Amino acid sequence: MTETLHIIGGGLAGSEAAWQAARMGIPVIIHEMRPHVGTFAHRTGDLAEMVCSNSFRSDDSEQNAVGLLHWEMRQADGLIMATADRHRLPAGGALAVDRDPFAQSVTRTLLDHPLITLETGEITALPDHGHWIIATGPLTSSALGAAIQAETGAERLAFFDAIAPIVYADSIDMSVAWMQSRYDKGETEAEQKAYLNCPMTRDQYEAFIDALLAADKTEFHEGETAGYFDGCLPIEVMAERGRETLRHGPMKPVGLTNAHKPDEKPYAVVQLRRDNALGTLYNIVGFQTKMKYGAQASVFKMIPGLEDASFARLGGIHRNTFINSPTLLDNQMRLRSKPHLRFAGQVTGVEGYVESSAMGLLAGRMAASAILGHDLPPPPPTTAMGALITYITGGAEAKTFQPMNVNFGLFPPVEGLKGGRRGRKDRYQAYTDRAKTDWRDWLAQYALDAA
Ligand SMILES: Cc1cc2nc3c(=O)[nH]c(=O)nc-3n(C[C@H](O)[C@H](O)[C@H](O)COP(=O)(O)OP(=O)(O)OC[C@H]3O[C@@H](n4cnc5c(N)ncnc54)[C@H](O)[C@@H]3O)c2cc1C
């Protein structure tokens, strides 16, 4: 008899994982704690409930990385995308979804499937045998969170994200910025030049502080803040504590010499650190923030060298349970220390409805393949699915790992194309053309087990 796959959490990721595994002939039990145990964001007992906005973001599969992810999931007969398409609302180029009929329809489809069973109730401990996917999301219950922490070590499971904005490397003005680690620290040249530095004069610093203080901020949801002030303060909160606080904190100018103007001592310096092995993304160090997105873009473009910056993602701080996937998971999304446990969805350190569903799709197929007797190789990093799984299971900097949206900075560059803003349209088209070919090939090569 075929072994059963157990999935903890019937959210976006768990629902997609269940569907994919059942399509491959594997019996699935979904363990969902709602409606008996709730979260501060969920309202219903439905599977795949969208907790906040009703948007799956851009549906443009030629010029947008999340649109490409939609396309790849549709090609793989994804349940979440098929149901979203059936409950689509008018929203220009975005895919907006009528949330309640959407979740009810996903629930019905899964419960009607002869191989899928739903068991309601909270799972509070890590199972010690069988095949399991943990897809408990950003609001994983505290008992299970504690059990995961006991297995991984406290520092490898976070309850809040602290996301600094991430900039595309090729949009930084290197005639202003320079590469240098503070006090040239490090054994190798690569380490001594690990940071990208943007200098500020006194006037620029004062204007920047004024803009930070005046910017629109987002509030925390009620019940969301417990435990948050343990670690990272938003930069605007640091600025509120005193105009010089940032200059003595993340913007301190010491140990740095402006390579373009060695005789001018900067009044403050903003540092950016490499965010991925490819070197295509840099995060602004210490700049986690609760500023609204519109405000962030205009405030951060005041930083010399970032006037024309393109942001792969803006900053934020949210209640968000996630593991340090680059150190904990193998490329099959299995916990290295307990390979019968896979993780999927937002808890792996991807961010967003679509990315979470996508990681559910892969985890479901990988777990089903393992039950059928072989491992499913991850998709190539040139696809949106492959770029995401490569990032979370190894491409990201483990020390500073924070949840990530899909974006073209995660893809290996296409050689021979113009960089910067001007070449963007052709570059994105080349990324998506390449991804579609590679995704079709991967699906064709590993489709044999799908029922
Ligand atoms: C407040 C908030 C707002 C968000 N807004 C957006 C947004 O607007 N757009 C966007 O793209 N993303 C948003 N996200 C991020 C994220 O994409 C969604 O949370 C998404 O639902 C994640 O999918 P998931 O399947 O990983 O987790 P979920 O959809 O949260 O599914 C996890 C499931 O696991 C269940 N569960 C938890 N612990 C246990 C347990 N111990 N035993 C059994 N079941 C358990 C939960 O009840 C839940 O049903 C938001 C997140 C939060 C917290």
Side-chain angles (χ1 to χ4, degrees):
M1 208 175 108
T2 313
E3 288 176 274
T4 297
L5 172 63
H6 296 264
I7 298 176
I8 314 180
L12 275 303
S15 296
E16 185 64 55
W19 174 250
Q20 294 290 331
R23 280 182 68 249
M24 293 170 69
I26 304 298
V28 177
I29 299 177
I30 302 174
H31 304 263
E32 169 54 54
M33 68 179 183
R34 289 177 293 116
H36 307 302
V37 180
T39 75
F40 77 84
H42 292 87
R43 291 175 302 111
T44 72
D46 293 334
L47 303 177
E49 180 180 332
M50 297 167 79
V51 287
C52 187
S53 113
N54 69 333
S55 174
F56 276 20
R57 315 197 319 270
S58 171
D59 201 28
D60 178 354
S61 73
E62 295 188 358
Q63 288 290 314
N64 189 287
V66 80
L68 175 64
L69 203 49
H70 293 173
W71 184 92
E72 292 181 5
M73 291 169 77
R74 287 182 181 119
Q75 294 294 308
D77 296 322
L79 173 66
I80 294 298
M81 287 313 301
T83 315
D85 286 336
R86 271 207 309 283
H87 296 284
R88 185 176 194 131
L89 297 170
L95 173 53
V97 176
D98 194 357
R99 69 175 77 232
D100 287 340
F102 163 80
Q104 287 154 8
S105 171
V106 171
T107 306
R108 222 173 20 251
T109 307
L110 292 175
L111 296 189
D112 284 349
H113 196 293
L115 287 174
I116 299 177
T117 313
L118 173 65
E119 286 185 7
T120 50
E122 179 188 1
I123 302 285
T124 55
L126 291 182
D128 50 20
H129 63 273
H131 297 269
W132 292 78
I133 295 177
I134 300 174
T136 44
L139 306 177
T140 296
S141 74
S142 41
L144 188 64
I148 297 170
Q149 232 178 9
E151 175 63 28
T152 60
E155 72 292 352
R156 293 204 178 142
L157 179 104
F159 292 102
F160 284 87
D161 56 37
I163 298 168
I166 295 179
V167 179
Y168 288 107
D170 65 2
S171 70
I172 299 170
D173 183 352
M174 292 306 292
S175 68
V176 176
W178 76 97
M179 307 293 303
Q180 184 188 9
S181 299
R182 210 179 287 284
Y183 299 111
D184 302 307
K185 271 196 188 147
E187 298 292 309
T188 61
E189 192 182 346
E191 283 169 3
Q192 288 158 6
K193 296 197 165 167
Y195 289 78
L196 209 148
N197 302 283
C198 298
M200 276 190 186
T201 62
R202 183 177 195 141
D203 286 349
Q204 287 167 333
Y205 179 79
E206 295 296 345
F208 183 72
I209 298 294
D210 287 340
L212 271 184
L213 295 175
D216 276 350
K217 323 281 183 330
T218 321
E219 298 302 323
F220 276 106
H221 292 264
E222 199 180 330
E224 211 188 345
T225 49
Y228 137 70
F229 278 103
D230 289 358
C232 307
L233 284 181
I235 42 162
E236 62 276 8
V237 174
M238 285 190 250
E240 279 163 14
R241 294 188 170 181
R243 296 185 70 86
E244 289 291 291
T245 308
L246 283 173
R247 220 169 72 77
H248 296 288
M251 294 174 72
K252 62 176 176 278
V254 297
L256 296 165
T257 304
N258 186 340
H260 306 292
K261 296 176 182 171
D263 299 330
E264 266 180 37
K265 185 81 196 143
Y267 189 72
V269 173
V270 174
Q271 286 204 300
L272 292 92
R273 182 172 43 219
R274 197 172 156 141
D275 202 74
N276 62 346
L278 291 170
T280 49
L281 300 173
Y282 276 75
N283 70 69
I284 314 186
V285 180
F287 270 40
Q288 56 279 352
T289 176
K290 291 290 281 180
M291 278 190 287
K292 289 192 173 159
Y293 282 175
Q296 286 189 43
S298 54
V299 172
F300 295 141
K301 284 182 178 200
M302 293 172 72
I303 298 169
L306 301 190
E307 292 90 344
D308 289 323
S310 295
F311 292 91
R313 67 164 311 156
L314 288 161
I317 300 176
H318 317 93
R319 174 73 180 81
N320 198 351
T321 313
F322 66 99
I323 58 170
N324 191 278
S325 293
T327 54
L328 295 172
L329 300 186
D330 67 10
N331 73 358
Q332 291 288 307
M333 304 173 84
R334 289 179 300 215
L335 196 59
R336 289 176 196 278
S337 61
K338 285 203 157 62
H340 66 290
L341 304 176
R342 279 184 167 74
F343 280 79
Q346 182 115 347
V347 73
T348 63
V350 295
E351 168 85 25
Y353 299 142
V354 184
E355 288 85 341
S356 298
S357 310
M359 293 302 97
L361 189 152
L362 282 185
R365 286 188 171 215
M366 285 173 164
S369 291
I371 292 172
L372 292 169
H374 52 82
D375 280 351
L376 175 68
T382 47
T383 63
M385 289 278 195
L388 265 180
I389 191 176
T390 302
Y391 184 80
I392 60 170
T393 62
E397 277 295 329
K399 269 196 211 150
T400 54
F401 183 62
Q402 289 290 325
M404 186 56 115
N405 285 127
V406 68
N407 66 77
F408 288 125
L410 304 180
F411 292 61
V414 178
E415 298 303 329
L417 289 171
K418 205 192 286 170
R421 225 170 255 276
R422 283 224 198 98
R424 196 155 64 183
K425 195 157 183 248
D426 290 345
R427 212 164 56 242
Y428 289 178
Q429 188 71 51
Y431 282 134
T432 58
D433 286 348
R434 180 181 65 178
K436 288 176 182 176
T437 305
D438 292 355
W439 181 245
R440 277 198 196 97
D441 289 350
W442 185 84
L443 279 178
Q445 195 173 350
Y446 300 108
L448 291 179
D449 292 321

